[in-house]
Amino acid sequence: MLKVTDLNVYYGESHVLHDVSLNVEPGSAVAIVGRNGMGKSTLLKALIGMVPARRGAIESTAAAHPLPSYRRVKAGLGFVPQGRMIFPQLSVEENILTGLETRRYTAYPGFIYEFFPVLREMKDRKGGNLSGGQQQQLAIARALVSRPKLLILDEPTEGIQPSIIKDIARSLNDLRKELGLAVLVSEQVLSFALDVADRLLVIDRGRIVRETEKHDLDIEAVRSYLTV
Ligand SMILES: Nc1ncnc2c1ncn2[C@@H]1O[C@H](COP(=O)(O)OP(=O)(O)OP(=O)(O)O)[C@@H](O)[C@H]1O
Ligand SMILES: [Mg+2]
């Protein structure tokens, strides 16, 4: 579904990602865990075309590459950015609609509110008045309306209370089961990564230093990369 080979990304002269390779199979869930500044956001942005790769290949059966990022999203990749980036002055429903092309507004998929009933209750409220957890659900809903095959989330638990983190994990697992979605998520919260992913990749200073199936995870070894 998504295959990344020897990806190298620079910001100017600064070499941020070094030969990153990864694979996401259809319907599977992969977590990329690593501390602040290790390159998680850069990697995810490179995958959706927000930052250019200098070397390496990104192949996706969800979307034909290379495409401009807006077309890649349309072609099957949904992106939930770090910090959620919802529009505070727009209503909940208007925020969701920004995930669609204008001419498809009539095809508004009702399934969104089945997954996130709280968003239906609040559909006329301004996005900026929602709690952090509700805004995260909104950002996920916005990414889902285009019916992606792969949902990419950048640190979805950042700034979210523990009880709500559990809810988000449950939502992602339900979405996978019911829509057959594949999920690629970056995280620093290991418990959340283990709740949602089958496979973990550890990123350290722009390199994938460890890759493990959840069932044969050496939890202390992974944790050592996450604690300072
Ligand atoms: N636009 C930019 N220009 C230059 N350097 C950048 C830019 N964005 C990020 N960096 C640098 O690239 C490195 C990787 O940053 P990135 O944001 O990908 O890390 P991250 O793992 O997402 O961190 P966090 O957990 O804090 O979000 C860091 O050293 C960061 O300072
Ligand atoms: Mg980041």
Side-chain angles (χ1 to χ4, degrees):
M1 152 137 297
L2 180 74
K3 187 170 192 288
V4 178
T5 315
D6 295 333
L7 188 71
N8 283 267
V9 172
Y10 294 69
Y11 291 116
E13 288 309 298
S14 161
H15 192 173
V16 175
L17 294 184
H18 303 259
D19 298 320
V20 170
S21 295
L22 64 92
N23 219 334
V24 183
E25 301 293 340
S28 72
V30 175
I32 297 166
V33 299
R35 282 200 301 267
N36 291 116
M38 291 301 163
K40 301 180 298 297
S41 295
T42 302
L43 171 58
L44 300 186
K45 286 178 187 168
L47 299 183
I48 61 152
M50 276 172 74
V51 302
R54 194 170 299 181
R55 293 191 301 280
I58 302 167
E59 295 160 71
S60 168
T61 54
H65 287 262
L67 283 176
S69 63
Y70 72 95
R71 290 202 44 210
R72 210 170 293 176
V73 169
K74 195 173 81 179
L77 304 183
F79 185 55
V80 182
Q82 186 165 15
R84 306 174 258 292
M85 306 298 169
I86 58 128
F87 299 99
Q89 295 300 329
L90 297 185
S91 73
V92 165
E93 187 142 294
E94 286 164 344
N95 265 281
I96 295 173
L97 289 172
T98 65
L100 285 175
E101 286 177 84
T102 315
R103 64 185 172 76
R104 292 183 58 219
Y105 275 13
T106 49
Y108 190 87
F111 77 90
I112 293 292
Y113 289 142
E114 306 293 316
F115 279 106
F116 302 109
V118 68
L119 296 182
R120 191 201 311 268
E121 285 163 38
M122 299 193 167
K123 71 185 175 59
D124 298 319
R125 240 190 260 183
K126 281 188 177 175
N129 294 340
L130 269 55
S131 71
Q134 290 161 348
Q135 289 186 8
Q136 186 60 266
Q137 294 184 38
L138 178 54
I140 295 171
R142 177 182 59 190
L144 286 174
V145 274
S146 65
R147 297 181 172 279
K149 294 181 208 138
L150 172 60
L151 187 64
I152 299 175
L153 307 99
D154 194 2
E155 287 200 55
T157 69
E158 194 181 44
I160 309 266
Q161 319 169 27
S163 63
I164 310 293
I165 289 178
K166 285 275 171 213
D167 291 343
I168 293 173
R170 204 172 309 121
S171 301
L172 287 180
N173 286 326
D174 289 349
L175 286 166
R176 268 184 79 193
K177 215 176 301 154
E178 294 186 29
L179 303 178
L181 273 181
V183 171
L184 177 62
V185 60
S186 85
E187 259 311 325
Q188 301 198 45
V189 177
L190 188 55
S191 57
F192 176 83
L194 293 173
D195 276 348
V196 299
D198 321 313
R199 206 148 47 81
L200 256 79
L201 276 67
V202 180
I203 188 167
D204 190 53
R205 282 161 287 176
R207 294 173 202 275
I208 302 296
V209 293
R210 203 169 253 274
E211 179 165 1
T212 171
E213 296 297 318
K214 178 160 76 181
H215 57 77
D216 42 47
L217 175 77
D218 178 348
I219 196 158
E220 290 312 319
V222 171
R223 203 170 268 147
S224 70
Y225 285 101
L226 290 172
T227 47
V228 189

